[in-house]
Amino acid sequence: MIRSLEEKVNELIVELNELKQDYDEKIKIYERFERGGFFDTVYPNPQSAYISDHEEDIVEDEDLHKLQVLKRKVMRDQKKVTKSAIELGYQRKQLEAEVWAFQEMKRELQLLEIVNER
């Protein structure tokens, strides 16, 4: 019985490490988006998007179309980031619950070993 519990604990440790690594990778992606580095390269700066009445500042239809396409792409990407952040929150709750369950199992195993020694 103790061996099976030890094997289960070892399996949970491996699974926990994999989940932590996956979680860390997702956090890195989220932090990259949070810092705005991605959006700075995709979304034009406000000065280039400025439109005035001067003839030399007239924006061509093609440029306007490109700008609209970029804005739509940014909006889609922002929605994806939001969904990913929500999903990360759920995964974090799950991971915390698994860590708690693992620690409880480990504590019970230690307690069982102490009781068996007496």
Side-chain angles (χ1 to χ4, degrees), residues 64-76:
L64 185 61
H65 176 71
K66 287 180 183 178
L67 180 62
Q68 290 172 343
V69 168
L70 284 174
K71 284 183 180 181
R72 283 193 299 265
K73 185 177 187 318
V74 168
M75 292 303 292
R76 281 193 310 267

Side-chain angles (χ1 to χ4, degrees), residues 26-70:
K26 290 180 180 180
I27 288 294
K28 286 178 186 176
I29 292 170
Y30 175 73
E31 287 173 347
R32 177 177 152 225
F33 286 115
E34 185 179 46
R35 285 190 300 263
F38 175 77
F39 295 113
D40 290 345
T41 59
V42 174
Y43 193 75
N45 63 31
Q47 293 169 346
S48 67
Y50 174 75
I51 299 175
S52 72
D53 292 336
H54 298 297
E55 280 187 32
E56 58 201 35
D57 291 337
I58 294 176
V59 177
E60 298 291 327
D61 287 339
E62 184 178 321
D63 292 338
L64 185 61
H65 176 71
K66 287 180 183 178
L67 180 62
Q68 290 172 343
V69 168
L70 284 174

Side-chain angles (χ1 to χ4, degrees), residues 2 4 7 18 26 42 52 60 80 89 92 94 107:
I2 292 177
S4 67
E7 289 175 8
E18 290 172 356
K26 290 180 180 180
V42 174
S52 72
E60 298 291 327
K80 286 180 186 177
R92 182 177 184 169
Q94 270 185 320
R107 185 188 63 79

Side-chain angles (χ1 to χ4, degrees), residues 95-111:
L95 186 60
E96 287 173 351
E98 289 177 13
V99 167
W100 179 84
F102 172 76
Q103 289 174 343
E104 277 298 307
M105 185 181 288
K106 187 176 176 182
R107 185 188 63 79
E108 289 176 10
L109 182 62
Q110 290 172 345
L111 184 63

Side-chain angles (χ1 to χ4, degrees), residues 8-24 91-104 106:
K8 183 69 174 171
V9 168
N10 288 336
E11 290 174 10
L12 287 173
I13 289 173
V14 169
E15 185 177 347
L16 180 63
N17 289 335
E18 290 172 356
L19 288 172
K20 280 184 179 179
Q21 183 180 2
D22 187 43
Y23 177 76
D24 290 340
Q91 288 178 357
R92 182 177 184 169
K93 284 181 185 179
Q94 270 185 320
L95 186 60
E96 287 173 351
E98 289 177 13
V99 167
W100 179 84
F102 172 76
Q103 289 174 343
E104 277 298 307
K106 187 176 176 182

